[in-house]
Amino acid sequence: MSMRSARWNEMSPTTRAVVVTAGVVDAGLRAWALADLRNRPAEQVLGPKAVWGLALTVVSSAGVLPAAYLLLGRRRAA
């Protein structure tokens, strides 16, 4: 039994909509996280800014990594 990914033209319209929506959400979260990271002082970031930036730029995570940065990677304002 061979496992292969479905081609775009083989996907149902619902599946296509889910894939496109996930991509848009991921891109939006990634842009928000990278903008926040760029503008936030290093002392307000949990962990090295360079590592967060590299991970947010390179790792494809369907929105999980940007959400992790936005929820867990920033220090709360006092």
Side-chain angles (χ1 to χ4, degrees):
M1 177 199 280
S2 83
M3 299 285 292
R4 72 171 184 84
S5 299
R7 295 194 175 156
W8 186 257
N9 60 354
E10 296 172 343
M11 292 181 191
S12 71
T14 302
T15 302
R16 289 182 191 184
V18 168
V19 170
V20 169
T21 302
V24 169
V25 168
D26 179 61
L29 284 173
R30 191 174 305 274
W32 178 18
L34 285 167
D36 182 86
L37 184 64
R38 182 186 65 231
N39 296 320
R40 187 173 292 272
E43 56 273 0
Q44 289 184 5
V45 176
L46 297 173
K49 282 180 75 169
V51 172
W52 276 114
L54 181 65
L56 286 166
T57 304
V58 175
V59 176
S60 176
S61 64
V64 174
L65 187 61
Y69 166 75
L70 292 167
L71 294 172
L72 306 172
R74 307 180 297 170
R75 295 189 192 281
R76 301 287 181 232

